[in-house]
Amino acid sequence: MEDPTTFLNRLGKFVLIPIGLLLFVAAAWSIWSTKSWLARTLEVEGVVVEMVRMRDSDDKGYVFSPIVRFETADGGTHQFQSGLRTYPPAYRTGEVVSVVYDPAVPDAAMIRSLLSLWLMPIILSFIGTIFCAIGIFMIVMCSWASRVFDRPMAAVSRPAPEASAALGRTTP
């Protein structure tokens, strides 16, 4: 049977840290994707025309999502429902918000806010940090445990029988 410290060390090195690093790569890709999309967008003002109330995923309460109407640079009027659902409601009907949209696809607009634009990379980075931290902690603790507990018994400081006899003591 494999030593538990060896197993945990390998689990940290070959499972948890790689998963954490993959999550960091996904977060970096999400940041790059959002930045490249923002580089193509225009920013205009929009108005929250309605707050849609819907059941949350576990049917224990409600979350709210704004429907926003905005006018594009070419004069067209568009409306979209934000993918960000919050409780309590983040906006009020009639509130003016900043909207970013791609002129080629104005119906794929978003409210310009921290959570609307950056929630995915924040979540991925947070979870990646947890995986890497646990993996590193496991490696460090297993290394420490193997040094402390796997010492040969001769390394434990105990006087040799000759030294005890020279001091006038006998050892059992």
Side-chain angles (χ1 to χ4, degrees):
M1 186 165 157
E2 188 175 25
D3 177 30
T5 58
T6 303
F7 171 76
L8 292 174
N9 191 335
R10 288 181 182 161
L11 181 68
K13 280 183 187 174
F14 301 118
V15 177
L16 296 176
I17 290 177
I19 289 173
L21 294 175
L22 285 174
L23 288 166
F24 285 137
V25 168
W29 179 84
S30 182
I31 290 168
W32 173 82
S33 176
T34 300
K35 282 186 161 195
S36 64
W37 181 77
L38 283 172
R40 296 188 310 267
T41 63
L42 298 175
E43 186 171 346
V44 295
E45 284 188 350
V47 177
V48 177
V49 293
E50 182 182 350
M51 288 300 295
V52 178
R53 184 177 101 160
M54 57 192 82
R55 283 270 192 207
D56 65 0
S57 60
D58 57 2
D59 286 338
K60 292 185 180 179
Y62 292 97
V63 291
F64 297 87
S65 177
I67 294 180
V68 179
R69 182 176 295 137
F70 67 99
E71 190 173 312
T72 60
D74 63 3
T77 301
H78 293 272
Q79 188 169 296
F80 70 94
Q81 181 173 348
S82 175
L84 183 65
R85 292 164 173 80
T86 60
Y87 181 83
Y91 303 98
R92 295 180 319 277
T93 301
E95 185 174 348
V96 176
V97 294
S98 180
V99 173
V100 287
Y101 73 95
D102 184 346
V105 190
D107 291 327
M110 296 180 80
I111 296 174
R112 185 176 194 108
S113 71
L114 176 71
L115 291 180
S116 291
L117 295 173
W118 305 108
L119 183 62
M120 185 57 68
I122 290 170
I123 289 172
L124 291 170
S125 297
F126 180 73
I127 296 171
T129 301
I130 290 172
F131 270 83
C132 285
I134 291 172
I136 291 168
F137 178 77
M138 288 171 69
I139 292 167
V140 168
M141 290 308 293
C142 288
S143 173
W144 174 80
S146 67
R147 280 196 312 269
V148 170
F149 297 115
D150 290 344
R151 260 191 246 179
M153 289 306 284
V156 176
S157 97
R158 183 195 233 174
E162 301 86 31
S164 295
L167 296 172
R169 290 184 273 176
T170 58
T171 55

